[in-house]
């Protein structure tokens, strides 16, 4: 009857799962990346960097502006035509177009373009850094779900075994071969394993909740992850720490970003030094004006005629040579040198952090391999011990305590094997990740 119930339950679960969308690790990572707010915020920062880069290039173009004014003068005023004082109200108007361009300023504009170009690229690398961190978190959460699912499956199988043993023991008690105490002890083992099944089911629910939160999926939305056939590699050669570090330094975005920030700080220093250079600029202007009083032999001239007669054109070259500016430029240069040193230390710190992470990751994967190999041997050994103990128990040659103890040790060994398996797989994926491989299962 219990088997029939299990079959019906599994069929119902299968139908429900088929109706839901099954998510692979790649799907989960894509979803997390698309919904993460930190990435969206960094993308806004990247857009600002792009705008600054665009504006720095536009700074090479001339500036063109137009100005217009109209004035009303009452009482004693100056006649614009004769420069004599008159007692009349005057209306005047002026309009001008002014253009200017900087010819040379110590290459400050060129270096500013180069600086913002580097910062734009660095901002893009910062986005990739966040994506990498999210990808690792999602991969870890994904494997935790798989681990919990396997634990549930194993505990269900273990519970089925103990239930069968309870039925056998009950029959033995009924025919007088076993004492009732044996049945009570086996039933207590069944109760313990039922509790353990509840615990691992809760663990599975918690794992699903964790990955839902990473993916920003509503708790009420149907969601299940795919269970790929993961094969643990029997023999694998891991690169040395130096080899992994060399590859990671060439591809990891946080290192690339720090390198670009270091180069940008050098350009900031050049920009500061450029302020010591003379500044050569040229300005040109076209202007005219009119007034309602024009005391000349020719009167009542129109605004158009006055605008044509008063048209003025000019071209001005200006050379600004800095001599003393309250030590402002020298202070800016000194600060820029400090920023260069700071960026250099930041780059070195990023590399040191990456090297330490790689060293730890390689040590972890080697330790995880040893743990998995030991767990595999331990499980195989306890499996054989339990088979032998179960046979002796059915013949009445060992006590119920010995049977339960052997069963508990087998359960513990199998759970540890599953845990070490997924821990080893995740540690391998981290090494692959540092080697530039995409996270997948």
């Amino acid at each position: 009857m219990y088997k029939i119930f299990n079959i019906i339950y599994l069929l119902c679960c299968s139908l429900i799962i088929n109706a839901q969308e099954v998510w692979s690790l790649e799907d989960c990572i894509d979803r997390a990346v698309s919904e993460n707010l930190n990435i969206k915020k960094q993308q806004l920062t990247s857009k600002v960097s792009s705008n600054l880069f665009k504006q720095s290039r536009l700074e090479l173009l001339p500036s063109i502006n137009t100005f217009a004014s109209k004035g009303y003068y009452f009482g004693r005023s100056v006649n614009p035509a004769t420069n004599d004082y008159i007692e009349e109200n005057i209306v005047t108007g002026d309009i001008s177009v002014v253009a200017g361009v900087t010819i040379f300023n110590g290459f400050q504009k060129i270096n500013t373009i180069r600086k913002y170009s580097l910062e734009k690229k660095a901002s893009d690398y910062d986005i990739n850094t966040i994506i990498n961190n999210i990808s690792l978190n999602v991969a870890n959460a994904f494997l935790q779900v798989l681990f919990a699912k396997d634990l549930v499956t194993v505990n269900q199988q273990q519970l089925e075994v103990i239930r069968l043993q309870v039925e056998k023991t009950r029959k033995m008690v009924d025919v007088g071969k076993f004492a009732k105490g044996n049945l009570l002890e086996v039933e207590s083992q069944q109760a313990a394993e039922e509790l353990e099944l509840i615990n691992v089911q809760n663990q599975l629910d918690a794992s699903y909740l964790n990955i839902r939160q990473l993916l920003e999926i509503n708790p009420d939305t149907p969601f299940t992850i795919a269970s790929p056939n993961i094969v643990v590699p029997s023999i694998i050669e891991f690169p040395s720490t130096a080899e992994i570090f060399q590859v990671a330094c060439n591809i990891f975005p946080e290192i690339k970003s720090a390198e670009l920030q270091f180069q940008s700080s050098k350009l900031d220093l050049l920009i500061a030094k450029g302020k010591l250079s003379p500044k050569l600029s040229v300005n040109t202007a076209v202007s005219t004006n009119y007034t309602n009083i024009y005391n000349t032999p020719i009167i009542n001239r129109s605004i158009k005629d006055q605008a044509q007669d008063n048209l003025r054109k000019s071209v001005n070259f200006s050379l600004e040579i800095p001599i003393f500016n309250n030590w402002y430029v020298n202070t800016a240069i000194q600060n820029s040198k400090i920023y260069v040193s700071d960026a250099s230390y930041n780059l070195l710190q990023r590399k040191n952090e990456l090297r330490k992470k790689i060293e730890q990751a390689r040590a972890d994967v080697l330790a995880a391999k040893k743990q998995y190999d030991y767990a595999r041997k331990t499980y195989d050994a306890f499996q054989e011990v339990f088979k032998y103990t179960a046979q002796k128990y059915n013949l009445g040659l060992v006590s119920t305590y010995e049977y339960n103890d052997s069963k508990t040790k087998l359960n513990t060994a199998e759970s540890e094997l599953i845990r070490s398996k997924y821990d080893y797989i995740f540690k391998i994926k981290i090494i692959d990740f540092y080697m530039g491989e995409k996270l997948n299962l």
Side-chain angles (χ1 to χ4, degrees):
M1 183 67 183
Y2 180 76
K3 290 183 177 179
I4 296 175
F5 174 78
N6 271 346
I7 292 173
I8 296 174
Y9 174 77
L10 291 174
L11 287 174
C12 292
C13 289
S14 177
L15 291 174
I16 294 173
I17 291 174
N18 289 334
Q20 298 175 358
E21 182 179 0
V22 180
W23 294 61
S24 66
L25 175 58
E26 292 81 359
D27 295 333
C28 292
I29 291 176
D30 291 341
R31 165 76 181 197
V33 168
S34 65
E35 296 296 324
N36 187 267
L37 295 180
N38 288 330
I39 293 179
K40 292 181 178 180
K41 289 172 63 178
Q42 186 58 44
Q43 287 172 341
L44 295 178
T45 302
S46 181
K47 289 180 180 179
V48 171
S49 298
S50 180
N51 291 337
L52 291 173
F53 172 59
K54 181 180 179 181
Q55 182 59 41
S56 67
R57 297 176 64 186
L58 293 175
E59 290 293 327
L60 294 176
L61 299 176
S63 61
I64 303 175
N65 298 283
T66 183
F67 302 92
S69 65
K70 188 172 184 180
Y72 298 87
Y73 302 91
F74 307 96
R76 186 177 178 82
S77 304
V78 176
N79 188 323
T82 63
N83 288 327
D84 295 330
Y85 285 100
I86 58 176
E87 295 290 339
E88 293 186 36
N89 296 336
I90 301 175
V91 178
T92 64
D94 297 273
I95 186 168
S96 60
V97 178
V98 180
V101 64
T102 300
I103 300 176
F104 179 79
N105 67 340
F107 303 106
Q108 292 183 59
K109 291 188 176 182
I110 298 298
N111 288 328
T112 300
I113 293 174
R114 294 168 59 193
K115 165 182 156 38
Y116 283 127
S117 175
L118 294 177
E119 292 188 354
K120 177 182 178 298
K121 294 177 182 178
S123 183
D124 292 337
Y125 279 123
D126 290 339
I127 294 176
N128 292 332
T129 298
I130 300 175
I131 291 175
N132 284 349
N133 293 335
I134 292 173
S135 299
L136 282 175
N137 291 336
V138 171
N140 185 31
F142 191 92
L143 288 173
Q144 288 300 317
V145 173
L146 294 181
F147 167 55
K149 289 175 70 175
D150 280 4
L151 278 183
V152 170
T153 301
V154 167
N155 277 270
Q156 287 173 339
Q157 294 171 350
Q158 293 171 351
L159 184 58
E160 177 63 19
V161 170
I162 195 64
R163 280 173 173 163
L164 292 175
Q165 191 60 48
V166 168
E167 293 300 322
K168 289 182 181 180
T169 304
R170 181 176 286 109
K171 292 178 181 179
M172 292 293 187
V173 172
D174 290 341
V175 298
K177 288 186 177 182
F178 284 172
K180 188 175 181 180
N182 290 17
L183 176 60
L184 295 176
E185 289 181 0
V186 177
E187 287 178 339
S188 67
Q189 178 68 22
Q190 177 182 339
E193 295 193 10
E194 287 174 344
L195 176 61
E196 182 62 23
L197 177 58
I198 293 174
N199 290 335
V200 295
Q201 286 173 335
N202 290 338
Q203 182 178 341
L204 177 59
D205 293 338
S207 299
Y208 261 117
L209 177 61
N210 181 40
I211 196 170
R212 280 177 179 272
Q213 291 176 343
L214 285 174
L215 273 56
E216 299 293 342
I217 295 179
N218 192 293
D220 298 328
T221 303
F223 171 76
T224 185
I225 68 170
S227 299
N229 183 23
I230 301 177
V231 179
V232 180
S234 56
I235 300 176
I236 184 170
E237 294 291 335
F238 298 106
S240 66
T241 300
E243 292 173 334
I244 301 173
F245 179 68
Q246 183 178 5
V247 173
C249 279
N250 292 329
I251 61 176
F252 260 55
E254 53 262 47
I255 302 299
K256 293 293 186 181
S257 176
E259 289 174 345
L260 292 173
Q261 292 292 350
F262 177 53
Q263 296 175 22
S264 175
S265 68
K266 290 182 177 180
L267 290 172
D268 272 329
L269 177 58
L270 292 178
I271 293 171
K273 289 181 177 180
K275 295 177 181 179
L276 293 174
S277 300
K279 179 181 178 181
L280 177 62
S281 58
V282 59
N283 295 279
T284 181
V286 177
S287 61
T288 187
N289 65 285
Y290 75 94
T291 180
N292 64 334
I293 296 179
Y294 207 82
N295 290 331
T296 63
I298 303 175
I299 59 175
N300 295 326
R301 306 196 60 186
S302 66
I303 295 178
K304 179 179 179 182
D305 293 335
Q306 292 187 52
Q308 292 176 347
D309 291 342
N310 297 334
L311 186 65
R312 299 179 300 276
K313 302 177 183 178
S314 65
V315 177
N316 299 314
F317 290 89
S318 63
L319 179 63
E320 179 183 345
I321 301 176
I323 297 177
F324 181 74
N325 292 284
N326 301 325
W327 220 251
Y328 171 79
V329 175
N330 293 63
T331 301
I333 292 174
Q334 294 302 318
N335 287 338
S336 295
K337 290 180 179 179
I338 294 174
Y339 297 147
V340 170
S341 298
D342 182 68
S344 175
Y345 292 145
N346 183 57
L347 174 59
L348 182 60
Q349 184 180 23
R350 293 278 184 91
K351 288 185 176 181
N352 286 340
E353 290 174 353
L354 179 61
R355 176 180 52 80
K356 291 176 182 178
K357 288 181 181 179
I358 292 174
E359 290 173 348
Q360 187 63 53
R362 194 173 189 279
D364 288 344
V365 75
L366 294 176
K369 184 179 185 304
K370 293 178 182 178
Q371 290 177 349
Y372 174 74
D373 291 340
Y374 177 78
R376 177 84 259 178
K377 293 177 182 179
T378 303
Y379 171 72
D380 292 340
F382 277 118
Q383 193 175 36
E384 293 300 320
V385 170
F386 176 71
K387 288 181 181 178
Y388 181 66
T389 303
Q391 292 174 357
K392 292 177 67 176
Y393 177 77
N394 291 331
L395 296 175
L397 300 178
V398 296
S399 66
T400 305
Y401 172 80
E402 291 175 301
Y403 173 85
N404 289 343
D405 182 62
S406 179
K407 182 72 165 58
T408 300
K409 288 179 178 179
L410 176 62
N411 294 349
T412 302
E414 189 167 12
S415 298
E416 177 60 23
L417 176 61
I418 296 173
R419 187 204 64 77
S420 62
K421 168 189 172 182
Y422 283 104
D423 182 60
Y424 182 38
I425 290 295
F426 182 63
K427 297 300 193 304
I428 291 175
K429 292 302 176 182
I430 291 179
I431 296 297
D432 293 342
F433 179 72
Y434 283 127
M435 293 297 291
E437 297 183 18
K438 186 178 180 181
L439 287 173
N440 53 40
L441 294 174

